[in-house]
């Protein structure tokens, strides 16, 4: 119906010029709803080239299979022509310039590649002219070449887009609405190289209603120039005497207006709803970002409880906004904050071991929260490390105190006190002071006990020394039996006094009296036997006998001049003395506890030592 209710007239001329073969081609087809007009110019030196014919046939065929005026359709028509030339069999590669015009009898759309041209006149004046895809046209655009010099410029046929090119990029126009009386022209370079646009405008300024007359005028104008090298030329004119008018258009317009009003109202309502929704989301997002920013500031101030509250608010808003990225981020921060707060709780309760483990776990958690709070955690871990040093010194002091090593215990307690004071650790400092008070109390009692013991031992030492002196005097008188009696009595006293040096000295004298002539080897064997026996006593915890045997062994070694062994024995004796002293102290404590129980006459109450 569109074709029969409109009036389009088409005429064209196409000649070889002074060439042997015409490689230009023009074709058109007018269907009921759409019409297609195509002009092509073969770009080849072959006389019998069919580039233009093949290109137009491919376009017409593609158009008839899928007629339409959409941009994609026209691009497909041109691609079909390009494919036809690329796949064509020829001694020379097939190439062509082309312009395609499609109309629905109301509007037109065109596409082109190369340097064929389309012109349009409205009310006798030029309405549009296509631009060539050539180097010369780019030079005109860049103001390197004047427009009136383009038709003769040496680069006018140096094209960057044409049919037969692998990377084919045609130019497609927008839709242009037609008016009654419009004239559309299509022509090849044989025309525009010899007739400028101004002359063509004069031809169509007062055009009649027969397109063939204007085509003949253009040809006459061309031939009147008598160009020396006249190329193939083709010129086509399409007269739009009457465009299609849809009788149902007014009704459709009313209907469209009603629908448009309804849609506009709906759009306004939807727009308002969307506006309110977006504003609400924007406000929520702003609040979310503000809460998270506040959380960051609180974290900088080490106020992790308030930071957790603000981060929780931000996470709640992120969930309402369905912002998954923000949810993951804020959740990571929240987990890190909870870990730090939990560690702080243990730290505040003085559970430093648990706090240390908790801070180390928190350190892992905050890696997923941009390491926020890392400095705070490191500071806490350093403090806990210092506290542990204080507690370790106190614990070591306690162990030394249990072994009655008062001087070293005092040193460790003082170290703990000094360390605690330097880091302002009041709890640790107080524990160190309490330990020192306990130490000094026990140390004072031990000193008094030792002084009493030393006084008694001094008196006994004087008596024993007098006996040794008498023995020496008797020995000097060669009264070996008498000397032996004095030495044995003195030895008994020194044994009770646990004076190891005097005991050893007397043993030497006794040995000298009895075994002066014994071989050194026999004496050595005897010393080793004594030493081995001492070890057995020591293993059986008979320290008195062990000590005595060690003393004998030392005396022998001393007599024999084995000072190293004698010193070794002395070191062993000192160890045994320590064990003896500890046993006596424990025994004294048990005896004292037993006496207290007996004197109570009632229930026995045991206390800490």
């Amino acid at each position: 119906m569109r074709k029969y209710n409109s009036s389009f007239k088409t005429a064209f001329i196409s000649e070889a010029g002074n060439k042997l073969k015409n490689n230009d081609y023009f074709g058109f087809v007018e269907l009921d709803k759409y019409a297609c007009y195509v002009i092509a110019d073969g770009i080849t030196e072959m006389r019998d080239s069919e580039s233009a014919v093949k290109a137009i046939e491919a376009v017409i065929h593609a158009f008839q299979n899928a007629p339409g005026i959409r941009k994609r359709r026209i691009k497909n028509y041109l691609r079909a022509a390009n494919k036809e030339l690329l796949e064509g069999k020829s001694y020379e590669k097939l190439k062509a310039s082309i312009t395609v015009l499609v109309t629905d009898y109301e509007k037109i759309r065109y596409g082109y590649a190369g340097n064929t041209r389309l012109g349009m006149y409205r009310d006798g004046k030029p309405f549009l002219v296509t631009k060539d895809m050539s180097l010369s046209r780019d030079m005109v655009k860049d103001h390197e070449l004047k427009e009136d010099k383009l038709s003769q410029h040496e680069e006018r046929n140096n094209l960057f887009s044409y049919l037969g090119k692998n990377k084919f990029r045609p130019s497609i126009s927008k839709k242009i609405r037609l008016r009654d009386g419009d004239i559309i022209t299509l022509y090849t370079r044989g025309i525009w190289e010899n007739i400028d646009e101004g002359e063509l405008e004069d031809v169509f300024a007062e055009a009649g209603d027969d397109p063939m007359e204007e085509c003949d005028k253009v040809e006459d104008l061309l031939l009147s120039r008598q160009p020396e090298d006249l190329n193939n030329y083709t010129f086509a004119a399409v007269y739009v005497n009457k465009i299609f008018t849809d009788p149902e258009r007014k009704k459709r317009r009313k209907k469209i207006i009603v629908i448009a009003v309804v849609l506009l109202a709906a759009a306004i309502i939807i727009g308002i709803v969307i506006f309110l929704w977006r504003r609400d989301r924007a406000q929520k997002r702003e609040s979310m970002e503000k809460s998270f920013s506040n959380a960051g500031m609180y974290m900088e101030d080490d106020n992790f409880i308030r930071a957790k509250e603000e981060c929780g608010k931000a996470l709640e808003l992120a969930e309402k906004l369905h912002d998954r990225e923000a949810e993951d981020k804020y959740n990571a921060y929240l987990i890190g904050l909870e870990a730090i707060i939990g560690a702080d709780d243990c730290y505040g309760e003085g559970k430093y071991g648990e706090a240390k483990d908790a801070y180390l776990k928190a350190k892992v958690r905050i890696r997923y929260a941009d390491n926020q709070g890392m400095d705070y955690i490191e500071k806490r871990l350093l403090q806990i490390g210092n506290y542990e040093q204080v507690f370790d010194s106190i614990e070591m002091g306690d162990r030394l105190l249990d072994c009655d090593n008062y001087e070293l215990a005092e040193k460790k307690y003082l170290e703990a006190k000094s360390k605690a004071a330097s880091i302002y650790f009041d709890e640790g400092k107080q524990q160190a002071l309490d330990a020192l008070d306990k130490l000094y109390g026990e140390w004072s009692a031990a000193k008094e006990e030792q002084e009493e013991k030393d006084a008694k031992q001094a008196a006994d030492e004087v008596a024993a020394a007098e006996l040794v002196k008498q023995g020496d005097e008797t020995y000097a008188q060669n009264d070996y039996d008498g000397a032996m009696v004095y030495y044995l009595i003195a030895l008994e006293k020194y044994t009770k006094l646990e004076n190891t040096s005097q005991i050893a000295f007397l043993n030497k004298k006794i040995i000298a009296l009895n075994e002066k002539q014994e071989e050194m080897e026999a004496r050595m064997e005897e010393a080793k036997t004594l030493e081995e026996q001492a070890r057995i006593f020591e293993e059986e915890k008979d320290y008195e006998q062990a000590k005595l045997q060690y003393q004998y062994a030392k005396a022998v070694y001393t007599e024999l001049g084995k000072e190293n062994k004698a010193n070794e024995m002395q070191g062993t004796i000192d160890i045994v003395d320590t064990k003896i002293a500890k046993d006596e102290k424990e025994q004294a404590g048990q005896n004292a506890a037993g006496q207290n129980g007996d004197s109570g006459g009632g229930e026995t109450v045991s206390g800490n030592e």
Side-chain angles (χ1 to χ4, degrees):
M1 293 295 291
R2 285 177 171 267
K3 182 179 185 311
Y4 296 107
N5 288 282
S6 59
S7 177
F8 281 59
K9 287 185 179 182
T10 304
F12 70 95
I13 56 171
S14 183
E15 298 295 340
N18 57 16
K19 305 297 180 181
L20 296 177
K21 181 73 175 180
N22 186 4
N23 288 332
D24 287 357
Y25 202 76
F26 173 76
F28 69 98
V29 58
E30 294 178 343
L31 304 179
D32 182 51
K33 293 183 178 180
Y34 301 97
C36 178
Y37 306 86
V38 193
I39 191 170
D41 180 0
I43 309 172
T44 178
E45 296 299 325
M46 291 179 62
R47 187 175 64 184
D48 297 327
S49 173
E50 296 182 348
S51 299
V53 175
K54 287 181 175 291
I56 291 178
E57 287 177 348
V59 170
I60 295 296
H61 181 70
F63 170 75
Q64 289 178 324
N65 286 338
I69 197 172
R70 290 185 177 179
K71 188 174 184 178
R72 183 178 294 277
R73 289 287 178 87
I74 295 177
K75 188 176 288 187
N76 288 339
Y77 303 155
L78 290 167
R79 285 175 176 170
N82 189 56
K83 183 179 179 183
E84 180 68 21
L85 296 194
L86 287 173
E87 295 177 353
K89 296 181 180 179
S90 174
Y91 291 108
E92 185 178 355
K93 188 175 180 181
L94 299 178
K95 297 178 286 184
S97 292
I98 189 170
T99 299
V100 176
L101 171 70
V102 178
T103 180
D104 63 356
Y105 303 102
E106 288 186 90
K107 300 174 291 296
I108 63 168
R109 190 195 294 271
Y110 60 87
Y112 66 96
N115 57 5
T116 54
R117 294 186 183 180
L118 178 147
M120 184 173 174
Y121 301 89
R122 178 169 290 173
D123 299 328
K125 297 179 181 179
F127 185 74
L128 69 87
V129 178
T130 58
K131 306 296 183 182
D132 303 339
M133 295 180 176
S134 68
L135 181 58
S136 294
R137 173 54 64 181
D138 285 349
M139 293 173 69
V140 171
K141 183 179 179 181
D142 295 336
H143 304 290
E144 298 176 5
L145 180 69
K146 292 183 179 180
E147 182 76 34
D148 59 356
K149 301 295 182 181
L150 184 147
S151 62
Q152 300 302 320
H153 194 266
E154 60 182 355
E155 299 292 348
R156 65 187 182 279
N157 296 316
N158 188 354
L159 307 178
F160 56 81
S161 181
Y162 52 83
L163 294 179
K165 186 176 176 65
N166 287 324
K167 293 183 179 180
F168 177 61
R169 294 187 179 88
S171 177
I172 309 297
S173 74
K174 297 180 180 179
K175 285 183 182 179
I176 302 172
R177 183 168 292 279
L178 294 171
R179 292 184 186 177
D180 293 345
D182 284 346
I183 299 174
I184 303 170
T185 61
L186 299 165
Y187 48 98
T188 62
R189 60 193 176 95
I191 298 295
W192 59 261
E193 285 181 350
N194 298 288
I195 303 174
D196 62 34
E197 297 296 336
E199 291 173 319
L200 289 176
E201 290 175 17
D202 293 338
V203 172
F204 292 98
E206 296 180 0
D209 59 359
D210 184 359
M212 197 62 218
E213 291 182 4
E214 270 60 49
C215 288
D216 291 337
K217 289 179 182 179
V218 171
E219 186 175 27
D220 292 341
L221 181 61
L222 172 64
L223 296 176
S224 67
R225 301 293 171 83
Q226 297 181 353
E228 293 181 2
D229 186 17
L230 180 59
N231 211 327
N232 302 159
Y233 62 89
T234 300
F235 188 90
V238 181
Y239 277 37
V240 183
N241 294 329
K242 179 180 180 298
I243 66 172
F244 173 71
T245 303
D246 189 351
E248 297 293 326
R249 182 171 293 168
K250 289 185 178 180
K251 292 181 180 179
R252 284 204 303 271
R253 282 182 178 176
K254 279 187 178 182
K255 188 175 182 181
I256 289 171
I257 290 172
V258 172
I259 293 172
V261 170
V262 173
L263 290 176
L264 179 61
I268 292 172
I269 294 171
I270 292 171
I272 293 172
V273 172
I274 292 174
F275 169 76
L276 294 174
W277 177 74
R278 286 184 175 176
R279 186 177 68 177
D280 179 64
R281 282 182 64 83
Q283 290 174 346
K284 286 180 179 177
R285 185 167 294 279
E286 184 179 355
S287 297
M288 176 186 75
E289 293 173 353
K290 179 65 175 176
S291 293
F292 186 66
S293 176
N294 291 340
M297 289 190 292
Y298 283 126
M299 290 179 75
E300 290 177 0
D301 295 335
D302 298 338
N303 191 344
F304 298 104
I305 295 176
R306 289 300 306 277
K308 177 185 174 183
E309 293 174 0
E310 292 296 328
C311 193
K313 293 177 183 178
L315 177 59
E316 184 179 350
L317 290 168
E319 290 171 348
K320 290 179 180 179
L321 292 170
H322 302 289
D323 188 337
R324 300 302 179 193
E325 183 178 351
E327 283 184 53
D328 293 341
K329 180 178 181 179
Y330 300 159
N331 190 56
Y333 269 78
L334 195 60
I335 291 172
L337 287 167
E338 289 174 346
I340 293 174
I341 292 170
D344 282 345
D345 290 340
C346 293
Y347 182 89
E349 294 172 4
K351 301 175 181 177
Y352 300 113
E354 295 180 18
K356 181 178 180 180
D357 293 339
Y359 282 125
L360 290 173
K361 291 178 181 178
K363 196 174 179 180
V364 176
R365 297 285 187 271
I366 63 171
R367 290 178 184 171
Y368 304 99
D370 302 324
N371 287 322
Q372 289 292 323
M374 181 66 76
D375 291 342
Y376 175 82
I377 292 175
E378 293 289 358
K379 180 180 176 183
R380 283 297 197 200
L381 288 172
L382 179 62
Q383 288 178 330
I384 291 173
N386 290 331
Y387 294 169
E388 287 177 338
Q389 291 180 22
V390 172
F391 292 135
D392 288 344
S393 294
I394 293 174
E395 183 180 358
M396 182 60 69
D398 291 342
R399 291 180 181 178
L400 291 168
L401 180 60
D402 290 340
C403 295
D404 298 333
N405 196 334
Y406 302 108
E407 291 182 357
L408 288 179
E410 179 188 34
K411 182 179 178 182
K412 289 298 177 181
Y413 290 146
L414 290 174
E415 285 179 1
K417 174 177 170 291
S418 177
K419 180 67 175 178
S422 68
I423 60 175
Y424 305 100
F425 183 29
D426 293 338
E427 179 184 350
K429 181 179 179 181
Q430 188 58 51
Q431 287 192 24
L433 290 172
D434 293 341
L436 284 168
D437 288 342
K438 178 182 177 183
L439 166 70
Y440 292 141
E442 293 185 12
W443 199 357
S444 177
K447 284 180 178 179
E448 290 179 1
E449 181 181 350
Q450 187 63 38
E451 287 173 357
E452 292 176 359
K453 184 177 179 182
D454 290 345
K456 183 177 181 302
Q457 186 171 353
D460 291 339
E461 289 273 2
V462 171
E466 185 62 30
L467 288 171
V468 173
K469 181 179 180 182
Q470 292 177 6
D472 290 342
E473 291 174 352
T474 304
Y475 181 81
Q477 297 171 4
N478 297 321
D479 184 359
Y480 298 117
D481 291 335
M484 180 64 72
V485 172
Y486 283 117
Y487 288 152
L488 289 175
I489 295 171
L491 178 63
E492 182 180 0
K493 286 186 175 292
Y494 281 125
T495 300
K496 290 180 180 180
L497 292 172
E498 299 177 357
N499 190 327
T500 56
S501 60
Q502 290 299 326
I503 291 172
F505 177 72
L506 286 173
N507 282 331
K508 282 182 66 177
K509 287 183 177 292
I510 293 170
I511 293 170
L513 286 172
N514 293 324
E515 302 178 0
K516 283 186 178 181
Q517 304 300 322
E518 285 187 1
E519 295 286 336
M520 182 180 290
E521 183 178 350
R523 295 289 286 146
M524 283 294 295
E525 288 296 326
E526 180 185 356
K528 290 179 181 179
T529 302
L530 290 169
E531 184 178 349
E532 185 62 27
Q533 187 64 43
R535 289 196 185 97
I536 294 171
F537 283 130
E538 186 177 358
E539 289 175 359
E540 294 175 353
K541 297 186 178 181
D542 188 349
Y543 299 121
E544 292 288 343
Q545 289 300 321
K547 178 181 177 181
L548 185 62
Q549 297 302 317
Y550 282 130
Q551 289 171 340
Y552 288 156
K554 177 186 175 184
V556 174
Y557 287 133
T558 302
E559 179 186 355
L560 295 175
K562 304 295 182 179
E563 294 298 328
N564 290 338
K565 289 295 294 183
N567 292 335
E568 180 181 338
M569 290 300 99
Q570 183 58 52
T572 305
I573 291 167
D574 292 340
I575 294 172
V576 173
D577 280 341
T578 302
K579 292 179 180 180
I580 292 172
K582 186 174 181 181
D583 284 351
E584 289 179 351
K585 182 178 179 181
E586 290 177 354
Q587 186 62 40
Q590 291 175 1
N591 292 338
Q595 291 174 2
N596 290 335
D598 292 341
S599 63
E603 184 178 356
T604 301
V605 179
S606 62
N608 291 328
E609 185 177 341

